[in-house]
Amino acid sequence: RSHGHEAHAKTQNCHATMPPTKDTESEDALNQYVVSPALNFFRDSKMLVRRCAKPDKNEFTKIAVATGAGFLIMGFIGFFVKLMFIPINNIIISNM
């Protein structure tokens, strides 16, 4: 009778130590490579924003003007590059 009980205990242990299923492995991989790094990044970013010095109105205005000027300059550069490319493109296409 004790052999039957030992066999049943071995069967139970076998089920307890079965290799993880694909679903469990994919969840672990998802947590390890996506969720955990995203949460750590969010926590670190939140801490950084709390510790950073906020600009006063004058400093913010200077930054906004400089950013706007940068956008305008880059926009004009893009516009003139496109403006020069149109006739060049027409020459290339007309020769084909």
Side-chain angles (χ1 to χ4, degrees):
R1 285 197 155 205
S2 64
H3 293 287
H5 182 66
E6 287 174 9
H8 183 66
K10 286 181 183 178
T11 305
Q12 284 180 339
N13 287 341
C14 179
H15 290 297
T17 59
M18 287 179 60
T21 63
K22 279 284 191 191
D23 292 337
T24 308
E25 288 176 2
S26 64
E27 283 181 23
D28 291 342
L30 181 70
N31 284 335
Q32 181 181 2
Y33 295 112
V34 177
V35 176
S36 181
L39 286 174
N40 289 337
F41 177 77
F42 177 73
R43 284 188 207 113
D44 292 344
S45 299
K46 198 165 131 180
M47 185 171 43
L48 177 69
V49 169
R50 285 183 184 163
R51 295 185 75 193
C52 286
K54 308 299 185 275
D56 59 355
K57 187 176 181 179
N58 188 27
E59 186 180 5
F60 179 78
T61 305
K62 285 181 182 179
I63 293 170
V65 168
T67 303
F71 271 101
L72 285 173
I73 292 169
M74 292 303 292
F76 279 119
I77 290 172
F79 174 73
F80 287 118
V81 167
K82 184 67 174 177
L83 197 62
M84 288 186 297
F85 181 71
I86 290 172
I88 294 171
N89 194 22
N90 288 336
I91 293 169
I92 293 171
I93 291 175
S94 66
N95 288 336
M96 292 182 100

